[in-house]
Amino acid sequence: MRVLVVDDEKRLTRHVVSALTEAGHDPTAVHDGETAIGKAAETTFDLIVLDVGLPGIDGFEVLKRLRAQHNLTRVLMLTARGELNDRLTGLQLGADDYLPKPFAMQELVARVHALSRRFAEAPEIALRVGDLTFDLADSSVHRGTRRSALLSPQHYQRRGSHG
């Protein structure tokens, strides 16, 4: 599994990368929010391990921007900000899991494995009638070999039209 590790604590990041590599994953490390957003845009990751306390853009803002860009990569928040309000904020912004620091490395690796099992390759979800296929996974319609992306209801609401 390709994992983006985003944490400004370089020593901790080296340990996390080492543990994930040992567990059979392919981690990449970055140390600030801007770089994380850029890396997530240019490379497909299966999971992002994201600290909140980053220089510049904090992890909550990184998560907001990723979700605003429709990046649905799983996110495990790994942070010293473990208060209930912080955990709720992370989960409400779209994190899939939240692990407060300090933590046991074995638990981090176990949570990464759990997320990889839970979000293993999704089965194809499509409706077919004749040569018309509606793919629910990516909101597209195919007629024969022609593909068209569907627009979200929010798109129509922003434009002021209904229906």
Side-chain angles (χ1 to χ4, degrees):
M1 186 158 79
R2 293 184 56 110
V3 181
L4 178 61
V5 179
V6 187
D7 199 309
D8 62 328
E9 296 178 45
K10 293 180 181 175
R11 185 169 181 230
L12 174 63
T13 303
R14 281 193 302 274
H15 290 297
V16 170
V17 165
S18 177
L20 292 174
T21 301
E22 206 171 289
H25 300 290
D26 180 16
T28 300
V30 298
H31 304 289
D32 65 86
E34 286 288 348
T35 305
I37 291 168
K39 195 61 109 167
E42 72 186 31
T43 306
T44 301
F45 292 96
D46 302 300
L47 175 70
I48 299 172
V49 176
L50 180 61
D51 184 18
V52 173
L54 297 171
I57 299 173
D58 75 11
F60 289 145
E61 184 62 26
V62 170
L63 182 56
K64 273 189 219 174
R65 290 185 188 186
L66 290 173
R67 296 307 187 230
Q69 296 169 359
H70 305 289
N71 183 323
L72 300 178
T73 303
R74 293 160 277 191
V75 174
L76 167 62
M77 303 299 291
L78 180 65
T79 178
R81 293 178 57 177
E83 295 297 317
L84 177 61
N85 286 339
D86 293 319
R87 294 191 313 262
L88 292 174
T89 297
L91 294 169
Q92 289 167 347
L93 289 174
D96 298 286
D97 199 357
Y98 200 105
L99 181 60
K101 295 176 184 174
F103 63 94
M105 196 62 70
Q106 300 92 327
E107 182 178 4
L108 171 66
V109 172
R111 286 175 183 254
V112 168
H113 284 305
L115 285 168
S116 70
R117 280 193 314 270
R118 189 177 330 146
F119 294 97
E121 259 186 62
E124 181 181 339
I125 303 170
L127 303 172
R128 289 185 180 80
V129 177
D131 71 341
L132 184 66
T133 302
F134 176 49
D135 187 334
L136 300 172
D138 71 357
S139 297
S140 65
V141 174
H142 303 259
R143 179 170 296 266
T145 59
R146 291 186 53 213
R147 179 186 183 278
S148 297
L150 298 177
L151 299 174
S152 70
Q154 292 82 10
H155 171 80
Y156 294 107
Q157 290 170 353
R158 283 190 301 249
R159 297 199 52 177
S161 61
H162 302 283

